[in-house]
Amino acid sequence: MFFEGSEKKIELHIDPSAKSLRAYPRDFWQQALAMADASILSNLSNSHCDAYVLSESSLFVWQHKLLLITCGNTRLIDTVLFIIEKIGTDHISGLNYQRKSEFLPHLQTTQFEDDIALLKAKVPGTAYRIGHLDSHHHYLYTASQPIKHEMSACLLMYHIEGEVAQYLRSAEQSCANIRRLLNLDRLLPQFEFDDHLFQPCGYSINGLFEDKFLTIHITPQERSSYVSVETNVNFLQYPFNIFAELLKVLNPRSWDIIGLNTQIEQRGFPCNRRLASCDLKLNQHNDFNYYHYIQAESETLIAEVL
Amino acid sequence: MFFEGSEKKIELHIDPSAKSLRAYPRDFWQQALAMADASILSNLSNSHCDAYVLSESSLFVWQHKLLLITCGNTRLIDTVLFIIEKIGTDHISGLNYQRKSEFLPHLQTTQFEDDIALLKAKVPGTAYRIGHLDSHHHYLYTASQPIKHEMSACLLMYHIEGEVAQYLRSAEQSCANIRRLLNLDRLLPQFEFDDHLFQPCGYSINGLFEDKFLTIHITPQERSSYVSVETNVNFLQYPFNIFAELLKVLNPRSWDIIGLNTQIEQRGFPCNRRLASCDLKLNQHNDFNYYHYIQAESETLIAEVL
């Protein structure tokens, strides 16, 4: 019942003189994603963005920017190299490549260091590890060109517990019910959504409103559950702290908060201990910050019989 | 500068009618250890036990019991299978095989599940995982025969900091100085010791007093430092809580405490948060307990440039 929810992620910017990324046909993205062993399941578009739900996570394509997130044992780096090759390295104006430490890294086909060796040959940049090897850690590669990235906020949840977690593991799920439990229509009333339920479990949803996106991926499997939420919505403009609301619903044992060019406020977070934090100035335009939280109460572990 | 300090460990008991393990010559142990890519560096004996410092950790041989600990990329399982084969499975009266989650599991030649598949074919038993996959976790395989294991206490320290940690990373180390810094002569005045300093850094020490042992292995490398301490000394009979004294000297960021048939008291531990605990009844005679601690203060992480 194990599935590697931990994600690899690329944010790619092209210069405004290059052909719009939205002009590339769906076939192009299918071909690019096939390199990573991923495929398109459905899509949602508005005048700013094309959002695709994938067999492993999500792809968002704006005119001059793309965001691609894949999980499982996908080789995201192969898709990235294919896209860079097709667009032409001269047109790449910015790039951030991230990998979360995996639950089972030995099952991955590549390690971060392997990916970076390939990527560095195309786009010069700097690689970082944030966090200790024996704890949650994040790898980040950022291109040397110092363009200013738009803000993005990320919430990663581990070991969800309680009623909603139970429902997500049950045989009787539906997209409509999950969407209702996540309360997205109340939290983001202006957004349009596109979601997918996996077999035997697992759920992905993309949301769009103008140039804003939100994406949630749920790997509910008992003992290795993982939920990621990523958005470019600025919470300060909303009546709710969306991350705090999702933390209440999904009740994770621990969680990470990652901000690029934003500080995410902790208002309304469940009672917690902040175990670690990192503020990293990537260059003159971009700041990366990372916080790792755990529920306040000490955990009583149940040994798993293998 | 990375070295995998995390250990694999076997405790093996043979029935009293079998040939004493101490009757096997040094050549036998050399041959057995070669299977795992380990070798003997030095030894210390008393009337109860032969203690060997190895190229990777330690071997202790009593008449009807052995304890073998190896780190790095050793294949301890191959040594275990060789020894069981030579002794004869009929003579094995008890067995505990443990693995700590590694800093870099993808560099290991085997995973715990691989080891157990081989071991189970020789000695039936039950396998457990204690702790979440995305945090410190311990694997344990215990043979079905329910003999009562002697008590043992284990302290594992991560990310040591401060003056002693700096000294252990320096070019100007000596065994005598490390032994003095660890304060072992004061803590365990009746013990005889045998130690070894590795190049460019790393330190192992075995101690014996009658049938009691203590072993410490230090991997001081910055950003992946790890220290293990294992003993069958009952601290309640000593004026000091030895683990608390070593925690003060080595000042780790986090630590695990593992007891087999003993509860280790926290008296004198540095200011901490206990993040998780597990009490596991292995069978009618044996109890395993695990505690994970972290320093009380939230950590400010420094991103590592790779």
Side-chain angles (χ1 to χ4, degrees), chain B residues 2 17 34 60 63 91 93 167 172 212 228 247 257 298 303:
Chain B
F2 177 76
S17 68
F60 293 88
Q63 279 212 314
H91 289 304
S93 61
Y167 178 77
E172 303 300 321
K212 300 298 177 195
S228 72
L247 284 165
I257 296 281
S298 176

Side-chain angles (χ1 to χ4, degrees), chain B residues 105-157:
Chain B
H106 65 278
L107 296 184
Q108 292 292 308
T109 47
T110 71
Q111 302 298 322
F112 179 75
E113 290 79 359
D114 308 323
D115 298 351
I116 293 318
L118 295 168
L119 196 49
K120 218 166 193 162
K122 303 275 182 192
V123 181
T126 308
Y128 301 93
R129 188 184 73 235
I130 297 108
H132 295 301
L133 286 173
D134 61 324
S135 182
H136 287 203
H137 54 279
H138 294 267
Y139 292 101
L140 171 65
Y141 180 77
T142 189
S144 304
Q145 302 109 308
I147 68 144
K148 184 165 172 63
H149 286 261
E150 192 194 2
M151 69 137 280
S152 72
C154 183
L155 164 65
L156 308 178
M157 297 182 252

Side-chain angles (χ1 to χ4, degrees), chain A residues 77 97 111-121 127 140-141:
Chain A
I77 190 65
Y97 176 67
Q111 303 297 322
F112 178 76
E113 291 78 358
D114 308 323
D115 298 351
I116 293 318
L118 295 168
L119 196 50
K120 217 164 195 166
L140 171 65
Y141 181 77

